[in-house]
Amino acid sequence: MDNRPIGVMDSGLGGLSVIRVLREEMPHESIIFVGDQGNFPYGIKTREQIQKLALRIGRFLVTKQVKLMIIACNTATAAAFQLLQEQLPIPVIGVIEPGARAAVQHQYDKIGVIGTESTIKNGAYKKTLTKLDPSVTVISHPTQPLVSIVEHGQTGTIIAQNAVNKELQVFEGQAIQALILGCTHFPFLQKEISNKLGANVQLIDPAFETIRQARNLLTSEKRLSNNPSPIIDLYSTGDVNELIAGAQKWLPNGYTKCDHIKLDKEG
């Protein structure tokens, strides 16, 4: 057993969707989360900028004695996953390969992917999907404005629905069978996305397969926690009140601490 916490990072509030699944699947695990709202959004930054920011957060999490790091951000996974694996002395798990694996196991012929400008431009999902299943057709589309809808607490509003309708017009007539929510913000818009695409399009949240991978890793290494009172510490590099509001809305079992942090500038 290993009661050290699991570290989780995101560019903003989207990582809370991964924490929500993590808490459901591994309720005894403590969590330390960093939402890099002070540098939001990642989706329009260069690969080098994202790598520097992600590595800085990874090093902070190491100082918190985490036993594992989950990059709960598709953009950061696409840009910095390999770097973090090389530079950090702990296991690192991203969300892209698990998300792609969850999609291809259903043997869909045509899969849609939505994500940030950076994630789609990188082509990480399309590359991974076609590697896993060369016969699959992948239609990728950047939906950067939807990230801000979540960050500004506008989910469940007509504003959100209108934004989703506009951003997903590209899939009209494409007959996709599944849509990968290639940004951890997007599970908070599942209702609006389903309203637009219809019930026949399966929405795939990479968080579930990501957490399954984390659990399998910790199980194989006998490092699962048995802590009856795990901590959930949340940190923001930006407006902590926005993180508090998001946590109160999307983490039904609450958290133990929510603070602002200022990370060292050196990556």
PDB file of all heavy atoms in Angstrom, residues 48 50-63 66 69 71 79-93 266-267:
ATOM      1  N   GLU A  48       6.525  24.505 -27.199  1.00  0.00           N
ATOM      2  CA  GLU A  48       7.584  24.811 -26.236  1.00  0.00           C
ATOM      3  C   GLU A  48       7.027  25.487 -24.981  1.00  0.00           C
ATOM      4  O   GLU A  48       7.449  25.184 -23.856  1.00  0.00           O
ATOM      5  CB  GLU A  48       8.650  25.692 -26.882  1.00  0.00           C
ATOM      6  CG  GLU A  48       9.481  25.009 -27.957  1.00  0.00           C
ATOM      7  CD  GLU A  48       8.707  24.752 -29.250  1.00  0.00           C
ATOM      8  OE1 GLU A  48       7.698  25.479 -29.490  1.00  0.00           O
ATOM      9  OE2 GLU A  48       9.090  23.835 -29.999  1.00  0.00           O
ATOM     10  N   ILE A  50       3.974  25.181 -23.777  1.00  0.00           N
ATOM     11  CA  ILE A  50       3.197  24.180 -23.033  1.00  0.00           C
ATOM     12  C   ILE A  50       4.128  23.234 -22.284  1.00  0.00           C
ATOM     13  O   ILE A  50       3.885  22.886 -21.121  1.00  0.00           O
ATOM     14  CB  ILE A  50       2.276  23.399 -23.986  1.00  0.00           C
ATOM     15  CG1 ILE A  50       1.245  24.336 -24.616  1.00  0.00           C
ATOM     16  CG2 ILE A  50       1.563  22.272 -23.238  1.00  0.00           C
ATOM     17  CD1 ILE A  50       0.521  23.740 -25.800  1.00  0.00           C
ATOM     18  N   GLN A  51       5.213  22.837 -22.922  1.00  0.00           N
ATOM     19  CA  GLN A  51       6.162  21.940 -22.260  1.00  0.00           C
ATOM     20  C   GLN A  51       6.753  22.577 -21.007  1.00  0.00           C
ATOM     21  O   GLN A  51       6.869  21.933 -19.964  1.00  0.00           O
ATOM     22  CB  GLN A  51       7.283  21.564 -23.232  1.00  0.00           C
ATOM     23  CG  GLN A  51       6.856  20.602 -24.320  1.00  0.00           C
ATOM     24  CD  GLN A  51       7.982  20.270 -25.274  1.00  0.00           C
ATOM     25  OE1 GLN A  51       8.926  21.041 -25.444  1.00  0.00           O
ATOM     26  NE2 GLN A  51       7.902  19.106 -25.910  1.00  0.00           N
ATOM     27  N   LYS A  52       7.102  23.844 -21.109  1.00  0.00           N
ATOM     28  CA  LYS A  52       7.689  24.543 -19.969  1.00  0.00           C
ATOM     29  C   LYS A  52       6.691  24.641 -18.816  1.00  0.00           C
ATOM     30  O   LYS A  52       7.035  24.401 -17.648  1.00  0.00           O
ATOM     31  CB  LYS A  52       8.151  25.940 -20.388  1.00  0.00           C
ATOM     32  CG  LYS A  52       8.870  26.712 -19.282  1.00  0.00           C
ATOM     33  CD  LYS A  52       9.421  28.031 -19.774  1.00  0.00           C
ATOM     34  CE  LYS A  52      10.587  27.828 -20.730  1.00  0.00           C
ATOM     35  NZ  LYS A  52      11.261  29.096 -21.075  1.00  0.00           N
ATOM     36  N   LEU A  53       5.451  24.970 -19.139  1.00  0.00           N
ATOM     37  CA  LEU A  53       4.426  25.108 -18.113  1.00  0.00           C
ATOM     38  C   LEU A  53       4.119  23.764 -17.456  1.00  0.00           C
ATOM     39  O   LEU A  53       4.004  23.669 -16.222  1.00  0.00           O
ATOM     40  CB  LEU A  53       3.148  25.692 -18.722  1.00  0.00           C
ATOM     41  CG  LEU A  53       3.231  27.139 -19.215  1.00  0.00           C
ATOM     42  CD1 LEU A  53       2.008  27.493 -20.045  1.00  0.00           C
ATOM     43  CD2 LEU A  53       3.384  28.101 -18.044  1.00  0.00           C
ATOM     44  N   ALA A  54       3.989  22.722 -18.270  1.00  0.00           N
ATOM     45  CA  ALA A  54       3.663  21.399 -17.735  1.00  0.00           C
ATOM     46  C   ALA A  54       4.787  20.849 -16.868  1.00  0.00           C
ATOM     47  O   ALA A  54       4.546  20.243 -15.811  1.00  0.00           O
ATOM     48  CB  ALA A  54       3.350  20.438 -18.878  1.00  0.00           C
ATOM     49  N   LEU A  55       6.029  21.065 -17.291  1.00  0.00           N
ATOM     50  CA  LEU A  55       7.163  20.584 -16.513  1.00  0.00           C
ATOM     51  C   LEU A  55       7.253  21.312 -15.177  1.00  0.00           C
ATOM     52  O   LEU A  55       7.575  20.709 -14.147  1.00  0.00           O
ATOM     53  CB  LEU A  55       8.455  20.765 -17.307  1.00  0.00           C
ATOM     54  CG  LEU A  55       9.735  20.211 -16.680  1.00  0.00           C
ATOM     55  CD1 LEU A  55       9.600  18.729 -16.378  1.00  0.00           C
ATOM     56  CD2 LEU A  55      10.931  20.462 -17.595  1.00  0.00           C
ATOM     57  N   ARG A  56       6.958  22.571 -15.182  1.00  0.00           N
ATOM     58  CA  ARG A  56       6.964  23.353 -13.947  1.00  0.00           C
ATOM     59  C   ARG A  56       5.940  22.799 -12.948  1.00  0.00           C
ATOM     60  O   ARG A  56       6.235  22.643 -11.764  1.00  0.00           O
ATOM     61  CB  ARG A  56       6.649  24.819 -14.280  1.00  0.00           C
ATOM     62  CG  ARG A  56       6.783  25.778 -13.116  1.00  0.00           C
ATOM     63  CD  ARG A  56       6.800  27.208 -13.597  1.00  0.00           C
ATOM     64  NE  ARG A  56       5.540  27.604 -14.209  1.00  0.00           N
ATOM     65  CZ  ARG A  56       5.322  28.783 -14.768  1.00  0.00           C
ATOM     66  NH1 ARG A  56       6.300  29.664 -14.849  1.00  0.00           N
ATOM     67  NH2 ARG A  56       4.148  29.084 -15.271  1.00  0.00           N
ATOM     68  N   ILE A  57       4.765  22.465 -13.450  1.00  0.00           N
ATOM     69  CA  ILE A  57       3.733  21.892 -12.574  1.00  0.00           C
ATOM     70  C   ILE A  57       4.160  20.496 -12.113  1.00  0.00           C
ATOM     71  O   ILE A  57       3.977  20.134 -10.941  1.00  0.00           O
ATOM     72  CB  ILE A  57       2.384  21.832 -13.296  1.00  0.00           C
ATOM     73  CG1 ILE A  57       1.864  23.248 -13.551  1.00  0.00           C
ATOM     74  CG2 ILE A  57       1.360  21.049 -12.471  1.00  0.00           C
ATOM     75  CD1 ILE A  57       0.633  23.312 -14.425  1.00  0.00           C
ATOM     76  N   GLY A  58       4.715  19.715 -13.018  1.00  0.00           N
ATOM     77  CA  GLY A  58       5.169  18.378 -12.652  1.00  0.00           C
ATOM     78  C   GLY A  58       6.191  18.412 -11.531  1.00  0.00           C
ATOM     79  O   GLY A  58       6.136  17.618 -10.584  1.00  0.00           O
ATOM     80  N   ARG A  59       7.117  19.348 -11.618  1.00  0.00           N
ATOM     81  CA  ARG A  59       8.131  19.466 -10.562  1.00  0.00           C
ATOM     82  C   ARG A  59       7.522  19.913  -9.239  1.00  0.00           C
ATOM     83  O   ARG A  59       7.956  19.479  -8.158  1.00  0.00           O
ATOM     84  CB  ARG A  59       9.228  20.423 -11.026  1.00  0.00           C
ATOM     85  CG  ARG A  59      10.117  19.799 -12.093  1.00  0.00           C
ATOM     86  CD  ARG A  59      11.112  20.773 -12.688  1.00  0.00           C
ATOM     87  NE  ARG A  59      12.056  20.081 -13.569  1.00  0.00           N
ATOM     88  CZ  ARG A  59      12.829  20.681 -14.451  1.00  0.00           C
ATOM     89  NH1 ARG A  59      12.790  22.003 -14.588  1.00  0.00           N
ATOM     90  NH2 ARG A  59      13.652  19.978 -15.215  1.00  0.00           N
ATOM     91  N   PHE A  60       6.510  20.763  -9.315  1.00  0.00           N
ATOM     92  CA  PHE A  60       5.803  21.148  -8.089  1.00  0.00           C
ATOM     93  C   PHE A  60       5.125  19.932  -7.452  1.00  0.00           C
ATOM     94  O   PHE A  60       5.212  19.719  -6.235  1.00  0.00           O
ATOM     95  CB  PHE A  60       4.767  22.226  -8.389  1.00  0.00           C
ATOM     96  CG  PHE A  60       3.793  22.472  -7.275  1.00  0.00           C
ATOM     97  CD1 PHE A  60       4.158  23.221  -6.162  1.00  0.00           C
ATOM     98  CD2 PHE A  60       2.507  21.937  -7.325  1.00  0.00           C
ATOM     99  CE1 PHE A  60       3.267  23.445  -5.115  1.00  0.00           C
ATOM    100  CE2 PHE A  60       1.614  22.149  -6.288  1.00  0.00           C
ATOM    101  CZ  PHE A  60       1.995  22.908  -5.178  1.00  0.00           C
ATOM    102  N   LEU A  61       4.474  19.125  -8.268  1.00  0.00           N
ATOM    103  CA  LEU A  61       3.786  17.947  -7.744  1.00  0.00           C
ATOM    104  C   LEU A  61       4.770  16.962  -7.121  1.00  0.00           C
ATOM    105  O   LEU A  61       4.466  16.316  -6.108  1.00  0.00           O
ATOM    106  CB  LEU A  61       2.987  17.268  -8.858  1.00  0.00           C
ATOM    107  CG  LEU A  61       1.749  18.039  -9.351  1.00  0.00           C
ATOM    108  CD1 LEU A  61       1.158  17.375 -10.583  1.00  0.00           C
ATOM    109  CD2 LEU A  61       0.703  18.146  -8.248  1.00  0.00           C
ATOM    110  N   VAL A  62       5.954  16.848  -7.695  1.00  0.00           N
ATOM    111  CA  VAL A  62       6.980  15.977  -7.117  1.00  0.00           C
ATOM    112  C   VAL A  62       7.355  16.453  -5.713  1.00  0.00           C
ATOM    113  O   VAL A  62       7.567  15.642  -4.812  1.00  0.00           O
ATOM    114  CB  VAL A  62       8.214  15.911  -8.036  1.00  0.00           C
ATOM    115  CG1 VAL A  62       9.394  15.248  -7.321  1.00  0.00           C
ATOM    116  CG2 VAL A  62       7.901  15.149  -9.325  1.00  0.00           C
ATOM    117  N   THR A  63       7.411  17.772  -5.505  1.00  0.00           N
ATOM    118  CA  THR A  63       7.722  18.290  -4.165  1.00  0.00           C
ATOM    119  C   THR A  63       6.620  17.964  -3.176  1.00  0.00           C
ATOM    120  O   THR A  63       6.852  17.978  -1.960  1.00  0.00           O
ATOM    121  CB  THR A  63       7.929  19.820  -4.177  1.00  0.00           C
ATOM    122  OG1 THR A  63       6.685  20.490  -4.440  1.00  0.00           O
ATOM    123  CG2 THR A  63       8.974  20.228  -5.194  1.00  0.00           C
ATOM    124  N   VAL A  66       3.932  13.205  -4.646  1.00  0.00           N
ATOM    125  CA  VAL A  66       2.942  12.384  -5.327  1.00  0.00           C
ATOM    126  C   VAL A  66       3.605  11.115  -5.848  1.00  0.00           C
ATOM    127  O   VAL A  66       4.801  11.076  -6.117  1.00  0.00           O
ATOM    128  CB  VAL A  66       2.268  13.151  -6.493  1.00  0.00           C
ATOM    129  CG1 VAL A  66       1.582  14.404  -5.969  1.00  0.00           C
ATOM    130  CG2 VAL A  66       3.262  13.505  -7.591  1.00  0.00           C
ATOM    131  N   MET A  69       1.617  10.955 -11.645  1.00  0.00           N
ATOM    132  CA  MET A  69       1.073  12.193 -12.198  1.00  0.00           C
ATOM    133  C   MET A  69       0.163  11.874 -13.373  1.00  0.00           C
ATOM    134  O   MET A  69       0.523  11.107 -14.267  1.00  0.00           O
ATOM    135  CB  MET A  69       2.201  13.118 -12.675  1.00  0.00           C
ATOM    136  CG  MET A  69       1.703  14.406 -13.309  1.00  0.00           C
ATOM    137  SD  MET A  69       3.072  15.458 -13.867  1.00  0.00           S
ATOM    138  CE  MET A  69       2.170  16.832 -14.592  1.00  0.00           C
ATOM    139  N   ILE A  71      -1.738  13.733 -16.443  1.00  0.00           N
ATOM    140  CA  ILE A  71      -1.890  14.970 -17.218  1.00  0.00           C
ATOM    141  C   ILE A  71      -3.337  15.020 -17.688  1.00  0.00           C
ATOM    142  O   ILE A  71      -3.698  14.449 -18.713  1.00  0.00           O
ATOM    143  CB  ILE A  71      -0.947  15.014 -18.436  1.00  0.00           C
ATOM    144  CG1 ILE A  71       0.479  14.626 -18.046  1.00  0.00           C
ATOM    145  CG2 ILE A  71      -0.961  16.401 -19.074  1.00  0.00           C
ATOM    146  CD1 ILE A  71       1.408  14.487 -19.241  1.00  0.00           C
ATOM    147  N   ALA A  79       1.605  17.748 -26.154  1.00  0.00           N
ATOM    148  CA  ALA A  79       2.848  18.514 -26.272  1.00  0.00           C
ATOM    149  C   ALA A  79       3.958  18.044 -25.344  1.00  0.00           C
ATOM    150  O   ALA A  79       5.137  18.143 -25.682  1.00  0.00           O
ATOM    151  CB  ALA A  79       2.566  19.995 -26.003  1.00  0.00           C
ATOM    152  N   ALA A  80       3.586  17.533 -24.160  1.00  0.00           N
ATOM    153  CA  ALA A  80       4.603  17.366 -23.114  1.00  0.00           C
ATOM    154  C   ALA A  80       4.657  15.987 -22.465  1.00  0.00           C
ATOM    155  O   ALA A  80       5.467  15.774 -21.565  1.00  0.00           O
ATOM    156  CB  ALA A  80       4.375  18.416 -22.024  1.00  0.00           C
ATOM    157  N   PHE A  81       3.844  15.046 -22.897  1.00  0.00           N
ATOM    158  CA  PHE A  81       3.791  13.740 -22.247  1.00  0.00           C
ATOM    159  C   PHE A  81       5.154  13.054 -22.210  1.00  0.00           C
ATOM    160  O   PHE A  81       5.641  12.635 -21.155  1.00  0.00           O
ATOM    161  CB  PHE A  81       2.766  12.857 -22.963  1.00  0.00           C
ATOM    162  CG  PHE A  81       2.701  11.440 -22.456  1.00  0.00           C
ATOM    163  CD1 PHE A  81       2.425  11.168 -21.131  1.00  0.00           C
ATOM    164  CD2 PHE A  81       2.904  10.370 -23.323  1.00  0.00           C
ATOM    165  CE1 PHE A  81       2.349   9.859 -20.657  1.00  0.00           C
ATOM    166  CE2 PHE A  81       2.837   9.063 -22.873  1.00  0.00           C
ATOM    167  CZ  PHE A  81       2.562   8.809 -21.537  1.00  0.00           C
ATOM    168  N   GLN A  82       5.798  12.954 -23.354  1.00  0.00           N
ATOM    169  CA  GLN A  82       7.091  12.279 -23.415  1.00  0.00           C
ATOM    170  C   GLN A  82       8.139  13.010 -22.578  1.00  0.00           C
ATOM    171  O   GLN A  82       8.936  12.380 -21.864  1.00  0.00           O
ATOM    172  CB  GLN A  82       7.569  12.167 -24.864  1.00  0.00           C
ATOM    173  CG  GLN A  82       8.846  11.363 -25.018  1.00  0.00           C
ATOM    174  CD  GLN A  82       9.227  11.132 -26.471  1.00  0.00           C
ATOM    175  OE1 GLN A  82       8.454  11.425 -27.373  1.00  0.00           O
ATOM    176  NE2 GLN A  82      10.421  10.608 -26.700  1.00  0.00           N
ATOM    177  N   LEU A  83       8.133  14.336 -22.635  1.00  0.00           N
ATOM    178  CA  LEU A  83       9.086  15.124 -21.855  1.00  0.00           C
ATOM    179  C   LEU A  83       8.912  14.879 -20.366  1.00  0.00           C
ATOM    180  O   LEU A  83       9.903  14.686 -19.634  1.00  0.00           O
ATOM    181  CB  LEU A  83       8.902  16.614 -22.159  1.00  0.00           C
ATOM    182  CG  LEU A  83       9.775  17.572 -21.347  1.00  0.00           C
ATOM    183  CD1 LEU A  83      11.238  17.437 -21.746  1.00  0.00           C
ATOM    184  CD2 LEU A  83       9.313  19.015 -21.521  1.00  0.00           C
ATOM    185  N   LEU A  84       7.673  14.882 -19.897  1.00  0.00           N
ATOM    186  CA  LEU A  84       7.426  14.667 -18.471  1.00  0.00           C
ATOM    187  C   LEU A  84       7.834  13.266 -18.046  1.00  0.00           C
ATOM    188  O   LEU A  84       8.375  13.065 -16.959  1.00  0.00           O
ATOM    189  CB  LEU A  84       5.942  14.912 -18.151  1.00  0.00           C
ATOM    190  CG  LEU A  84       5.469  16.359 -18.291  1.00  0.00           C
ATOM    191  CD1 LEU A  84       3.968  16.458 -18.048  1.00  0.00           C
ATOM    192  CD2 LEU A  84       6.205  17.282 -17.327  1.00  0.00           C
ATOM    193  N   GLN A  85       7.593  12.290 -18.904  1.00  0.00           N
ATOM    194  CA  GLN A  85       8.028  10.930 -18.591  1.00  0.00           C
ATOM    195  C   GLN A  85       9.543  10.867 -18.428  1.00  0.00           C
ATOM    196  O   GLN A  85      10.055  10.142 -17.563  1.00  0.00           O
ATOM    197  CB  GLN A  85       7.590   9.962 -19.694  1.00  0.00           C
ATOM    198  CG  GLN A  85       6.138   9.550 -19.637  1.00  0.00           C
ATOM    199  CD  GLN A  85       5.855   8.407 -20.589  1.00  0.00           C
ATOM    200  OE1 GLN A  85       6.282   8.415 -21.733  1.00  0.00           O
ATOM    201  NE2 GLN A  85       5.122   7.411 -20.125  1.00  0.00           N
ATOM    202  N   GLU A  86      10.245  11.615 -19.251  1.00  0.00           N
ATOM    203  CA  GLU A  86      11.712  11.600 -19.213  1.00  0.00           C
ATOM    204  C   GLU A  86      12.276  12.395 -18.038  1.00  0.00           C
ATOM    205  O   GLU A  86      13.297  12.004 -17.453  1.00  0.00           O
ATOM    206  CB  GLU A  86      12.264  12.172 -20.525  1.00  0.00           C
ATOM    207  CG  GLU A  86      11.974  11.321 -21.751  1.00  0.00           C
ATOM    208  CD  GLU A  86      12.309  12.042 -23.047  1.00  0.00           C
ATOM    209  OE1 GLU A  86      12.646  13.249 -22.978  1.00  0.00           O
ATOM    210  OE2 GLU A  86      12.233  11.411 -24.115  1.00  0.00           O
ATOM    211  N   GLN A  87      11.630  13.490 -17.687  1.00  0.00           N
ATOM    212  CA  GLN A  87      12.188  14.432 -16.723  1.00  0.00           C
ATOM    213  C   GLN A  87      11.765  14.192 -15.280  1.00  0.00           C
ATOM    214  O   GLN A  87      12.478  14.610 -14.357  1.00  0.00           O
ATOM    215  CB  GLN A  87      11.805  15.862 -17.123  1.00  0.00           C
ATOM    216  CG  GLN A  87      12.401  16.339 -18.434  1.00  0.00           C
ATOM    217  CD  GLN A  87      13.908  16.546 -18.349  1.00  0.00           C
ATOM    218  OE1 GLN A  87      14.430  16.998 -17.341  1.00  0.00           O
ATOM    219  NE2 GLN A  87      14.612  16.188 -19.420  1.00  0.00           N
ATOM    220  N   LEU A  88      10.633  13.535 -15.059  1.00  0.00           N
ATOM    221  CA  LEU A  88      10.128  13.372 -13.694  1.00  0.00           C
ATOM    222  C   LEU A  88      10.441  11.981 -13.146  1.00  0.00           C
ATOM    223  O   LEU A  88      10.416  10.996 -13.888  1.00  0.00           O
ATOM    224  CB  LEU A  88       8.619  13.626 -13.642  1.00  0.00           C
ATOM    225  CG  LEU A  88       8.154  15.013 -14.091  1.00  0.00           C
ATOM    226  CD1 LEU A  88       6.634  15.124 -13.968  1.00  0.00           C
ATOM    227  CD2 LEU A  88       8.831  16.121 -13.284  1.00  0.00           C
ATOM    228  N   PRO A  89      10.704  11.883 -11.836  1.00  0.00           N
ATOM    229  CA  PRO A  89      11.082  10.603 -11.229  1.00  0.00           C
ATOM    230  C   PRO A  89       9.880   9.754 -10.805  1.00  0.00           C
ATOM    231  O   PRO A  89       9.997   8.890  -9.933  1.00  0.00           O
ATOM    232  CB  PRO A  89      11.891  11.042 -10.003  1.00  0.00           C
ATOM    233  CG  PRO A  89      11.243  12.329  -9.588  1.00  0.00           C
ATOM    234  CD  PRO A  89      10.818  13.005 -10.866  1.00  0.00           C
ATOM    235  N   ILE A  90       8.715  10.008 -11.419  1.00  0.00           N
ATOM    236  CA  ILE A  90       7.487   9.277 -11.083  1.00  0.00           C
ATOM    237  C   ILE A  90       6.798   8.855 -12.380  1.00  0.00           C
ATOM    238  O   ILE A  90       7.048   9.429 -13.432  1.00  0.00           O
ATOM    239  CB  ILE A  90       6.508  10.147 -10.247  1.00  0.00           C
ATOM    240  CG1 ILE A  90       6.248  11.472 -10.972  1.00  0.00           C
ATOM    241  CG2 ILE A  90       7.044  10.364  -8.833  1.00  0.00           C
ATOM    242  CD1 ILE A  90       5.181  12.339 -10.324  1.00  0.00           C
ATOM    243  N   PRO A  91       5.916   7.862 -12.324  1.00  0.00           N
ATOM    244  CA  PRO A  91       5.157   7.497 -13.521  1.00  0.00           C
ATOM    245  C   PRO A  91       4.239   8.650 -13.947  1.00  0.00           C
ATOM    246  O   PRO A  91       3.694   9.364 -13.098  1.00  0.00           O
ATOM    247  CB  PRO A  91       4.337   6.288 -13.070  1.00  0.00           C
ATOM    248  CG  PRO A  91       5.035   5.760 -11.863  1.00  0.00           C
ATOM    249  CD  PRO A  91       5.642   6.949 -11.193  1.00  0.00           C
ATOM    250  N   VAL A  92       4.068   8.813 -15.255  1.00  0.00           N
ATOM    251  CA  VAL A  92       3.210   9.859 -15.807  1.00  0.00           C
ATOM    252  C   VAL A  92       2.226   9.221 -16.786  1.00  0.00           C
ATOM    253  O   VAL A  92       2.621   8.414 -17.630  1.00  0.00           O
ATOM    254  CB  VAL A  92       4.033  10.945 -16.533  1.00  0.00           C
ATOM    255  CG1 VAL A  92       3.105  12.008 -17.129  1.00  0.00           C
ATOM    256  CG2 VAL A  92       5.041  11.587 -15.589  1.00  0.00           C
ATOM    257  N   ILE A  93       0.958   9.584 -16.652  1.00  0.00           N
ATOM    258  CA  ILE A  93      -0.086   9.068 -17.532  1.00  0.00           C
ATOM    259  C   ILE A  93      -0.789  10.250 -18.210  1.00  0.00           C
ATOM    260  O   ILE A  93      -1.133  11.236 -17.545  1.00  0.00           O
ATOM    261  CB  ILE A  93      -1.119   8.230 -16.745  1.00  0.00           C
ATOM    262  CG1 ILE A  93      -0.466   6.944 -16.222  1.00  0.00           C
ATOM    263  CG2 ILE A  93      -2.337   7.894 -17.607  1.00  0.00           C
ATOM    264  CD1 ILE A  93      -1.386   6.105 -15.359  1.00  0.00           C
ATOM    265  N   GLU A 266      11.088  29.343 -13.649  1.00  0.00           N
ATOM    266  CA  GLU A 266      11.989  28.436 -14.365  1.00  0.00           C
ATOM    267  C   GLU A 266      11.320  27.076 -14.548  1.00  0.00           C
ATOM    268  O   GLU A 266      10.786  26.510 -13.609  1.00  0.00           O
ATOM    269  CB  GLU A 266      13.299  28.261 -13.606  1.00  0.00           C
ATOM    270  CG  GLU A 266      14.170  29.525 -13.611  1.00  0.00           C
ATOM    271  CD  GLU A 266      14.528  29.957 -15.016  1.00  0.00           C
ATOM    272  OE1 GLU A 266      14.844  29.108 -15.848  1.00  0.00           O
ATOM    273  OE2 GLU A 266      14.499  31.174 -15.284  1.00  0.00           O
ATOM    274  N   GLY A 267      11.324  26.578 -15.794  1.00  0.00           N
ATOM    275  CA  GLY A 267      10.776  25.252 -16.079  1.00  0.00           C
ATOM    276  C   GLY A 267      11.788  24.217 -15.712  1.00  0.00           C
ATOM    277  O   GLY A 267      11.551  23.063 -15.672  1.00  0.00           O
TER     278      GLY A 267
END
